[in-house]
Amino acid sequence: MAFTLNLLTGSYVAHQDRLDSYVKMAAYCRSPLLPLLLFSAVCISSVVSVLVKAANSPVELPNPPVVRAVDLPVKDAPAAAGASQPRRATGWKLAEEEACREDLTRLCPKHTWTNNLAVLDCLQDRREQETDIAPDCNHLLWNYKLNLTTDPKFESVAMEVCKSTIAEIKECNEEERGRGYLVSCLVDHRGNISEYQCNQYVTKMTSIIFSNYRLICGFMDKCKEDINNLRCGSISVGHKDIHSQGEVIACLEKALVREAEQQDHVRPIKEECQKAILRVAELSSDDFHLDRHLYFACRDDRERFCQNIQAGEGKVYKCLFNHKFEEAMSEKCRDALTTRQKLISQDYRVSYSLAKACKMDLRKQRCSLDTNMPRGREARLSYLLLCLEAAVHRGRPVSGECQGEMLDYRRMLMEDFSLSPEIVLHCRTEIEAQCSGLHRKGRTLHCLMRIGRGDRSTSVDSVCQSALQTLIQSADPGADYRIDRALNEACESVIQTACKHIRSGDPMILSCLMEHLYTEKMVEDCEHRLLELQYFISRDWKLDPILYKKCQNDAARLCHTHGWNETSELMPPGAVFSCLYRHAYRTEEQGRRVNPDEKLSRDCKVEVHRILHQRAMDVKLDPELQKRCMTDLGKWCSEKTDTGQELECLQEHLEDLVSGCRDVVGNLTELESEDIQIDALLIRACEPVIQTHCHDVADNQIDTGDLMECLVQNKHQKEMNDKCAVGVTHFQLIQMKDFRFSYKFKMACKEDVLRLCPNIKKKVDVVICLSTTVRNDTLQAVKEQRVSLKCRKQLRVEELEMSEDIRLEPDLYDPCKSDINRLCPNMAFGNAQMIECLKEQKKQLSPRCHQRIFRLQEVEMSDPELDYQLMRVCKQMIKRFCTEADARNVLQCLKQNKNSELMDPKCKQMITKRQITQNTDYRLNPVLRKACRADIPKFCQSILNKASEDSELEGQVIACLKLKYADQRLSPDCEDQIRVILQESALDYRLDPQLQMHCSDEISRLCAEEAAAQEQTGQVEECLKVNLLKIKQEACKKEVLNMLKESKADIFVDPVLHTACALDLKHHCAAITPGRGRQMSCLMEALQDKRVRLQPECKKRLQDRIDMWSYAAKVAPPDGFSDLAVQVMTSPSKNYILLVIALCVCVLFLVGLLCGRITKRVTRELKDR
């Protein structure tokens, strides 16, 4: 064909002009010639008459051309072929030739026999295989067609019919006449022919010329050497004729696409032949009849799938492409279609419909400015798609027709990996090893994508990975999920149920699918396909069309990016998104006023949040995280394969990670602390709690750690499920590793930490440092606290959160791990249950753990708000009884209201536990410690000398103070506190550690029934008193005797007696001030006064007490003079004893006087001597 000026100059613009004006030709290619001639007779009778006359005139049928390197020896043309026949008379007919008569009779209807063109049309289009026609007839036909293209008569017809067209087309006007170049040139430029008569003529000649490559003028010269090298002309004469239609071109086309898929070009095709091959494919793009190889390969499939599709404008091609992977499609046709698609990938102009639809858009979007650019790059389908996709993403107008064509070809690229030569070339090893047999419907591509994202033990080569990324960018499935057929089919049911409110093809469909990832609506196959695609989309921010649309201006302004398909960006695509989210979240914490120009737009920030939300689903969707943490993932998290476990694993091993990975994980965790909604899996799991308790903070546009704080506070609500509780606890544990991971704490205390606790990183250490500073300032009553008010408030929140789970306090958790496994193996960590278990098993704890628990209790008793269990169990009671009480006096308030009828039983039980704990050591009772700070060293120093700082004194100091209380030697403040303790322990023996320790066996033996009572009202103490004579253990007996001694000091210490004598106290001792045994003395005097009648129960109890005291006095004599004096003063017979003592003293005095006079007289007598 005459490519002369067009291909030599490479004028791409002129070539584009031709594409749009192609006319429909299929109707003429397949229809019989007679109706065509009849129709033409009406319109252009003169043209047809000349054409028919020329076709039916005697034609010189020369011998076949001299056989060259590409020609094989053939039989001598028979006489029937006309090789040696003289010129025939006017009216020579093909039907009359003996070589074709049999074939003509068998294949063509009689009415076509009189017209040579109709016979030619019939014979070359209707036979199913080349061997159907005799070789001699085949030679005859080819010689006839060759002469038609070179016959001066046909050329003269062309000059007559296309006179004005030839004048307009410079290349054809300059062609040499008489060699067939003129007709070939007109066929070459048929897309630019507007003259109707000329168009009809050229259409018919096109079908003739395209039936054999040797009839295409110039093609033979350009590709002769390549045909020979590739042996595309070496066809056995016995099977197919050397001039078989389209086979040589098909062979060259396959070689061309194969060359692009091979790294080492063994037999490279010359550039001019490559251009000629693509040009021929381009010229046959509108009518599939013109691609002879494909036409014969797909004729049956066309009838099967595209019977109602009218030929022309590439419609049959598109129809066959759409059915390429149907089971009924023949392999022969599928191969031919794949070859043509590969040619389209190399030159989009081989697709008539695409070139025509996008011609004007290519000009408008300046996609072909450089006319000197090699045809290869500019003509590639990927270049066209990238250029026009860039325009669409930027919001520039691209016609709907062009976008429709782009969609078809983007889908085509995703369906068949073999259409991308880079994939075939660079991913061959992976395909053969792991993805063989998955060729259809994009499954091979998704297999490669799955390997690329690391779902299998092996990973793809970096060059293959790059080729996959390039293909994804060219196909741009993020803009329309339907492009990815494998994804579309896998997720169809999910889309119909979960995303039915979104318009089909909308980019938000992918976001919708991501939002439903790992939910009940998601199916496994869809989940895999979706993650495989998102892995590549996440590595180039431009592949998310919504993100790109909303953030392109921000990216250009803040991250210095260029256009959608530019490759000269200052930042790699993955770094652009990192830049965007830094500007979205990090400006506030830099401690400076943010320049408005450095802020992201609101729409962009919303999209950045959406992407972060999606990336939190899977670590592989975060390119930076996967890149830096690949080694650590394999080392620490190889078994953590469930949803979300990999990131949790990395966070748990934060200290063990390499520095690069540690920084990335740290930054991500810090970001989550600011906006926990980024963690989509956690938010989804916590939806019930959020809706019930945290909906106010969840609805905020900007989350500054409030939502996580709310979740922690409501961690043990009934709406909290296990998944949410585990996720919240995990985040709390991770926060302990670095104070920066607690956004609100970081923002409130950042300056305080830098000033007071420099070089401390762990949150628990920072909290201890700051809380110690606050405590010291409070104790020293400084005028101005060193820790700021906002930090103190947040510090309180952090301390309360840490008290909920022992794991949040590493200094406590680490020493107690072995004790936890030994003593509390089945106890839950949350709700402070594990801490409570350790407290209850305190005596069995290891020394280190015991020491830590003691310190914890000491802190909790001084600040009851940090006692999580107490505050949780007694929450309602605190609201009822202690609303006005100071936070540090909450426990004291609860103790005072413990016996109220309105007190909740569970809270009462918890208060009792805390009282038992307090009574084990005075240091655990801050009020007592303060009140008795002078008495304790004065009376109990010997006990203090033996004490350890971190272990309980088991109530020894309090027991010591009790005895001094009985002796009435304590200071008033201390006496008041001891009285309270005595009153409490008199009602419940468990509150007396010494009694419980020494008398546990006796209680079990003598008072088991009383001890088993749910409500303790002093029954056990009364039982021990009554059974004092039966007690065998001396230590227990001593404790009971001390108890009796204490009861003499105050009647309130003896609840049984006090209850029995309540009315008598009111009647007879109402004016007596309680304390120091005064009311007890009043009752004793009333008992001795015969005029006073006491209640029988009171009288009986008093008499029992007198007997017990008498026995106690015998069994336990006074330890010293002071003890004796106390006993005398507290004795009911005090007056009698004092009178006796006074009489004794008087007697002694008188005796002394008398003895003194005698002594004096004796002494004088001695002196006188």
Side-chain angles (χ1 to χ4, degrees):
M1 235 177 242
F3 300 107
T4 313
L5 293 177
N6 183 42
L7 293 181
L8 289 176
T9 61
S11 176
Y12 183 74
V13 176
H15 187 48
Q16 289 286 343
D17 293 339
R18 291 196 304 276
L19 288 173
D20 195 42
S21 58
Y22 282 170
V23 295
K24 301 179 180 179
M25 295 185 292
Y28 310 108
C29 292
R30 298 200 62 197
S31 59
L33 187 58
L34 187 57
L36 172 64
L37 295 179
L38 292 174
F39 172 76
S40 302
V42 178
C43 303
I44 46 171
S45 57
S46 60
V47 176
V48 176
S49 62
V50 173
L51 183 61
V52 174
K53 181 180 178 182
N56 292 334
S57 63
V59 180
E60 189 68 32
L61 297 174
N63 289 320
V66 178
V67 178
R68 300 190 180 139
V70 295
D71 298 318
L72 290 177
V74 297
K75 299 177 183 178
D76 294 334
S84 60
Q85 289 183 15
R87 184 181 297 272
R88 285 179 171 77
T90 302
W92 176 85
K93 307 292 183 183
L94 273 173
E96 296 176 355
E97 294 297 329
E98 186 179 349
C100 293
R101 189 171 300 159
E102 183 182 347
D103 297 307
L104 188 66
T105 304
R106 180 166 50 88
L107 297 173
C108 300
K110 275 191 175 183
H111 69 266
T112 62
W113 293 4
T114 57
N115 187 291
N116 287 343
L117 291 181
V119 170
L120 181 63
D121 213 18
C122 169
L123 290 177
Q124 74 174 12
D125 277 356
R126 288 194 55 182
R127 63 183 184 279
E128 296 182 2
Q129 294 181 349
E130 298 291 334
T131 52
D132 286 349
I133 296 178
D136 293 340
C137 181
N138 197 35
H139 274 286
L140 177 65
L141 291 176
W142 182 78
N143 283 318
Y144 176 70
K145 289 186 290 185
L146 179 61
N147 279 280
L148 281 180
T149 61
T150 57
D151 192 285
K153 294 181 181 180
F154 271 83
E155 194 168 276
S156 63
V157 172
M159 292 177 65
E160 180 180 345
V161 175
C162 302
K163 185 174 182 180
S164 59
T165 300
I166 293 172
E168 292 173 1
I169 302 175
K170 183 180 178 182
E171 292 89 341
C172 297
N173 196 27
E174 295 176 354
E175 289 291 354
E176 182 181 353
R177 303 295 188 265
R179 298 185 59 188
Y181 285 0
L182 178 60
V183 176
S184 294
C185 180
L186 289 172
V187 171
D188 190 12
H189 290 82
R190 71 189 190 280
N192 296 330
I193 297 175
S194 57
E195 190 177 356
Y196 185 73
Q197 297 176 358
C198 181
N199 204 323
Q200 298 298 312
Y201 169 77
V202 172
T203 297
K204 178 50 63 179
M205 294 306 296
T206 300
S207 64
I208 296 173
I209 288 175
F210 269 87
S211 65
N212 197 296
Y213 78 99
R214 296 190 180 207
L215 301 180
I216 303 173
C217 183
F219 183 83
M220 181 68 180
D221 296 332
K222 291 180 175 64
C223 294
K224 176 176 59 179
E225 185 178 342
D226 295 295
I227 292 172
N228 185 52
N229 290 337
L230 296 167
R231 303 181 65 81
C232 288
S234 302
I235 302 173
S236 300
V237 179
H239 293 87
K240 293 188 180 180
D241 189 79
I242 186 171
H243 307 300
S244 59
Q245 301 168 354
E247 291 299 325
V248 173
I249 293 179
C251 176
L252 289 172
E253 288 175 345
K254 290 178 181 178
L256 179 61
V257 298
R258 189 166 57 247
E259 180 179 313
E261 298 169 357
Q262 293 177 347
Q263 194 164 3
D264 300 324
H265 304 311
V266 181
R267 292 179 177 175
I269 301 175
K270 292 188 300 183
E271 184 178 352
E272 61 177 3
C273 183
Q274 290 185 24
K275 293 179 180 179
I277 295 168
L278 290 172
R279 183 66 175 132
V280 169
E282 176 187 343
L283 292 171
S284 62
S285 63
D286 60 338
D287 190 345
F288 93 111
H289 293 84
L290 303 183
D291 187 333
R292 306 304 294 174
H293 174 72
L294 187 143
Y295 168 68
F296 288 116
C298 297
R299 188 158 51 179
D300 291 339
D301 298 284
R302 187 267 168 95
E303 294 300 323
R304 186 180 301 114
F305 297 110
C306 311
Q307 184 177 7
N308 299 322
I309 302 297
Q310 186 178 4
E313 298 187 352
K315 293 179 181 178
V316 176
Y317 285 126
K318 288 187 68 174
C319 175
L320 291 172
F321 288 160
N322 291 335
H323 293 86
K324 176 179 167 183
F325 290 115
E326 298 288 342
E327 295 294 333
M329 176 69 72
S330 65
E331 286 297 328
K332 183 172 58 174
C333 180
R334 185 178 291 123
D335 292 341
L337 290 171
T338 300
T339 300
R340 187 155 195 93
Q341 287 177 320
K342 290 180 178 180
L343 291 174
I344 294 173
S345 296
Q346 294 196 29
D347 189 341
Y348 73 90
R349 288 168 289 203
V350 176
S351 171
Y352 176 86
S353 57
L354 179 64
K356 180 182 177 182
C358 297
K359 177 180 178 181
M360 297 305 298
D361 294 293
L362 287 169
R363 288 184 178 178
K364 287 179 183 178
Q365 307 306 331
R366 304 171 71 85
C367 293
S368 54
L369 288 177
D370 191 357
T371 55
N372 296 320
M373 185 180 291
R375 176 188 176 100
R377 178 180 183 271
E378 226 180 50
R380 287 185 68 86
L381 177 64
S382 59
Y383 179 80
L384 172 139
L385 292 175
L386 287 173
C387 181
L388 293 179
E389 284 165 8
V392 173
H393 284 297
R394 293 190 191 112
R396 296 176 183 173
V398 175
S399 66
E401 186 181 3
C402 180
Q403 289 195 48
E405 289 294 329
M406 289 169 58
L407 184 67
D408 290 338
Y409 283 95
R410 285 154 59 194
R411 185 186 292 116
M412 181 185 77
L413 289 176
M414 288 295 293
E415 275 192 4
D416 192 347
F417 77 95
S418 65
L419 305 185
S420 302
E422 294 83 5
I423 298 290
V424 177
L425 175 61
H426 300 302
C427 301
R428 181 178 286 110
T429 304
E430 288 81 1
I431 293 172
E432 292 176 353
Q434 303 191 52
C435 303
S436 58
L438 301 172
H439 185 73
R440 299 180 178 181
K441 299 182 181 180
R443 285 179 290 183
T444 301
L445 186 59
H446 267 276
C447 174
L448 291 172
M449 291 161 69
R450 181 167 62 254
I451 303 170
R453 74 185 295 269
D455 279 0
R456 296 191 178 183
S457 57
T458 57
S459 58
V460 300
D461 182 77
S462 58
V463 184
C464 176
Q465 185 92 353
S466 177
L468 284 169
Q469 190 72 38
T470 302
L471 174 60
I472 298 298
Q473 187 176 24
S474 300
D476 193 18
D480 191 336
Y481 73 95
R482 296 172 298 180
I483 291 168
D484 190 341
R485 185 171 178 180
L487 175 70
N488 190 14
E489 291 182 356
C491 298
E492 184 177 2
S493 61
V494 184
I495 295 171
Q496 292 299 322
T497 54
C499 310
K500 59 183 178 181
H501 60 286
I502 305 176
R503 177 179 57 85
S504 179
D506 193 293
M508 284 304 295
I509 290 285
L510 281 182
S511 289
C512 175
L513 290 174
M514 287 298 295
E515 289 173 7
H516 289 86
L517 195 64
Y518 307 126
T519 64
E520 295 178 355
K521 293 183 179 180
M522 180 60 63
V523 295
E524 184 178 2
D525 197 27
C526 177
E527 177 183 308
H528 294 324
R529 302 296 84 77
L530 181 62
L531 288 174
E532 288 157 9
L533 178 61
Q534 283 290 344
Y535 175 83
F536 288 89
I537 291 178
S538 66
R539 273 144 183 78
D540 189 345
W541 74 289
K542 294 175 292 189
L543 294 181
D544 189 308
I546 306 172
L547 175 68
Y548 182 80
K549 180 179 179 181
K550 301 291 186 182
C551 294
Q552 56 179 323
N553 294 331
D554 296 273
R557 176 167 50 86
L558 301 172
C559 309
H560 312 292
T561 61
H562 296 291
W564 193 88
N565 62 333
E566 290 289 332
T567 57
S568 58
E569 294 187 7
L570 300 178
M571 300 180 124
V576 175
F577 183 77
S578 298
C579 169
L580 289 174
Y581 91 70
R582 279 197 302 272
H583 282 86
Y585 287 92
R586 303 302 170 85
T587 52
E588 191 177 331
E589 55 179 86
Q590 294 173 4
R592 59 180 177 82
R593 179 173 292 180
V594 181
N595 187 338
D597 294 335
E598 295 182 4
K599 285 186 176 180
L600 287 186
S601 63
R602 182 176 179 180
D603 290 343
C604 180
K605 189 169 183 178
V606 169
E607 291 307 313
V608 170
H609 181 275
R610 176 179 63 84
I611 298 301
L612 289 172
H613 183 110
Q614 293 177 3
R615 288 188 175 187
M617 301 279 191
D618 193 323
V619 293
K620 297 183 181 68
L621 299 183
D622 191 323
E624 191 70 14
L625 181 65
Q626 191 190 28
K627 176 183 175 183
R628 304 230 179 223
C629 298
M630 186 63 69
T631 304
D632 289 300
L633 281 169
K635 183 177 181 180
W636 305 107
C637 312
S638 58
E639 297 180 359
K640 305 288 185 178
T641 57
D642 290 346
T643 306
Q645 283 190 341
E646 288 176 311
L647 179 57
E648 290 181 0
C649 172
L650 291 174
Q651 290 173 330
E652 289 170 0
H653 291 87
L654 187 65
E655 297 89 349
D656 305 319
L657 305 179
V658 296
S659 59
C661 179
R662 184 166 59 247
D663 292 342
V664 174
V665 175
N667 290 337
L668 181 59
T669 307
E670 192 174 351
L671 190 62
E672 284 185 346
S673 72
E674 178 179 355
D675 188 358
I676 193 60
Q677 295 193 55
I678 291 172
D679 191 342
L681 295 174
L682 177 62
I683 296 301
R684 188 181 296 161
C686 297
E687 188 66 25
V689 185
I690 293 173
Q691 291 298 325
T692 307
H693 302 284
C694 308
H695 58 89
D696 293 337
V697 293
D699 293 338
N700 293 340
Q701 288 290 334
I702 301 175
D703 180 19
T704 54
D706 296 322
L707 182 56
M708 176 52 72
E709 188 175 281
C710 178
L711 289 173
V712 171
Q713 292 171 355
N714 294 278
K715 189 174 174 182
H716 301 287
Q717 297 290 346
K718 61 181 181 180
E719 293 83 5
M720 177 68 71
N721 54 59
D722 292 340
K723 285 186 178 180
C724 181
V726 169
V728 173
T729 301
H730 165 77
F731 199 78
Q732 287 181 283
L733 294 173
I734 298 306
Q735 286 179 332
M736 293 297 106
K737 297 178 181 292
D738 194 323
F739 79 95
R740 295 179 299 117
F741 296 164
S742 300
Y743 179 75
K744 298 193 76 171
F745 181 60
K746 175 185 66 176
M747 298 304 295
C749 298
K750 180 172 53 182
E751 296 176 359
D752 300 273
V753 173
L754 294 175
R755 179 165 44 86
L756 300 171
C757 311
N759 304 322
I760 299 180
K761 189 174 182 181
K762 286 188 176 182
K763 179 181 173 182
V764 63
D765 295 334
V766 172
V767 170
I768 292 173
C769 171
L770 292 176
S771 59
T772 303
T773 304
V774 172
R775 188 174 293 110
N776 291 340
D777 289 349
T778 303
L779 293 175
Q780 296 172 14
V782 296
K783 292 183 178 180
E784 186 176 350
Q785 291 269 2
R786 286 176 288 174
V787 180
S788 63
L789 178 61
K790 65 176 182 179
C791 181
R792 291 202 301 272
K793 289 181 178 179
Q794 191 59 37
L795 185 62
R796 168 59 54 170
V797 173
E798 300 299 330
E799 289 176 329
L800 292 175
E801 288 183 6
M802 289 168 60
S803 67
E804 185 268 337
D805 193 326
I806 190 173
R807 294 172 296 180
L808 301 180
E809 298 189 57
D811 289 344
L812 175 62
Y813 179 56
D814 293 340
C816 294
K817 279 184 179 178
S818 59
D819 299 275
I820 289 171
N821 295 331
R822 179 168 53 90
L823 301 172
C824 311
N826 301 318
M827 189 64 65
F829 282 97
N831 237 344
Q833 294 179 74
M834 186 61 71
I835 296 177
E836 197 65 24
C837 175
L838 293 174
K839 289 177 182 177
E840 293 173 357
Q841 306 282 344
K842 189 165 55 174
K843 293 183 180 179
Q844 303 178 48
L845 297 179
S846 61
R848 285 187 65 218
C849 181
H850 189 281
Q851 177 183 358
R852 296 292 180 181
I853 290 294
F854 179 80
R855 289 182 181 178
L856 173 67
Q857 289 179 321
E858 191 174 0
V859 173
E860 289 179 347
M861 293 303 176
S862 62
D863 190 353
E865 267 195 326
L866 299 181
D867 189 339
Y868 187 88
Q869 276 281 21
L870 176 69
M871 300 304 290
R872 183 183 70 84
V873 174
C874 297
K875 183 177 181 180
Q876 296 302 322
M877 296 301 101
I878 293 172
K879 290 181 179 179
R880 174 174 293 173
F881 297 111
C882 309
T883 52
E884 298 180 0
D886 183 77
R888 295 182 179 273
N889 296 324
V890 168
L891 180 58
Q892 196 70 15
C893 170
L894 290 172
K895 288 195 295 185
Q896 292 171 0
N897 294 277
K898 174 183 172 182
N899 296 316
S900 169
E901 293 180 356
L902 300 176
M903 177 59 69
D904 177 64
K906 290 184 178 179
C907 180
K908 186 174 182 179
Q909 185 179 1
M910 182 58 64
I911 296 170
T912 301
K913 285 184 178 181
R914 295 300 176 259
Q915 287 179 299
I916 294 172
T917 301
Q918 280 190 327
N919 290 347
T920 58
D921 198 305
Y922 77 98
R923 290 169 292 186
L924 301 181
N925 191 334
V927 179
L928 174 67
R929 187 175 185 178
K930 182 179 180 181
C932 300
R933 59 181 179 271
D935 300 86
I936 292 173
K938 180 179 179 180
F939 300 112
C940 312
Q941 186 62 48
S942 60
I943 299 174
L944 296 180
N945 293 337
K946 301 175 184 178
S948 171
E949 288 187 3
D950 302 311
S951 61
E952 294 87 341
L953 295 170
E954 299 299 340
Q956 294 180 60
V957 171
I958 295 177
C960 168
L961 293 174
K962 286 180 180 179
L963 292 175
K964 300 308 173 185
Y965 172 82
D967 296 342
Q968 301 178 1
R969 300 174 64 184
L970 299 178
S971 62
D973 291 341
C974 185
E975 187 176 279
D976 291 340
Q977 293 302 316
I978 291 298
R979 183 186 303 114
V980 172
I981 292 175
L982 284 169
Q983 290 173 357
E984 291 171 348
S985 58
L987 291 171
D988 192 340
Y989 76 98
R990 295 171 298 176
L991 300 185
D992 189 336
Q994 289 289 310
L995 180 67
Q996 190 175 14
M997 180 173 65
H998 296 304
C999 297
S1000 57
D1001 293 338
E1002 301 292 349
I1003 292 172
S1004 301
R1005 184 171 62 88
L1006 300 172
C1007 312
E1009 186 177 345
E1010 290 82 354
Q1014 188 173 1
E1015 189 74 17
Q1016 291 294 322
T1017 55
Q1019 306 98 316
V1020 174
E1021 290 87 340
E1022 187 67 18
C1023 172
L1024 290 172
K1025 291 174 184 177
V1026 171
N1027 293 283
L1028 178 61
L1029 299 176
K1030 299 179 181 179
I1031 295 176
K1032 299 178 180 180
Q1033 296 182 6
E1034 290 299 324
C1036 178
K1037 185 178 292 186
K1038 184 178 180 180
E1039 288 300 320
V1040 176
L1041 291 172
N1042 288 337
M1043 194 164 49
L1044 287 168
K1045 181 180 178 181
E1046 292 158 5
S1047 65
K1048 291 172 63 177
D1050 200 325
I1051 193 171
F1052 290 101
V1053 179
D1054 192 336
V1056 175
L1057 180 63
H1058 182 265
T1059 303
C1061 299
L1063 289 174
D1064 296 298
L1065 282 171
K1066 186 177 181 180
H1067 291 156
H1068 306 296
C1069 307
I1072 307 298
T1073 306
R1076 294 187 177 270
R1078 288 186 286 265
Q1079 287 188 331
M1080 181 67 76
S1081 298
C1082 173
L1083 286 176
M1084 296 299 292
E1085 291 174 358
L1087 178 64
Q1088 293 175 0
D1089 191 346
K1090 295 181 179 180
R1091 294 172 299 176
V1092 177
R1093 296 190 62 180
L1094 297 177
Q1095 295 290 325
E1097 183 66 18
C1098 177
K1099 189 174 182 179
K1100 179 179 180 300
R1101 292 291 181 184
L1102 276 173
Q1103 193 61 53
D1104 290 341
R1105 293 297 182 269
I1106 292 172
D1107 296 339
M1108 289 180 187
W1109 292 332
S1110 300
Y1111 176 76
K1114 296 176 183 178
V1115 175
D1119 294 332
F1121 182 77
S1122 59
D1123 192 22
L1124 177 62
V1126 170
Q1127 288 189 17
V1128 170
M1129 295 303 296
T1130 57
S1131 172
S1133 306
K1134 177 179 69 173
N1135 296 333
Y1136 173 75
I1137 295 173
L1138 289 176
L1139 179 61
V1140 171
I1141 292 173
L1143 290 173
C1144 292
V1145 170
C1146 291
V1147 171
L1148 287 174
F1149 180 72
L1150 292 174
V1151 172
L1153 287 175
L1154 295 174
C1155 292
R1157 288 182 177 276
I1158 295 172
T1159 306
K1160 185 177 180 182
R1161 186 180 301 120
V1162 173
T1163 305
R1164 184 177 298 171
E1165 290 177 353
L1166 291 174
K1167 286 182 179 180
D1168 291 342
R1169 288 180 185 177

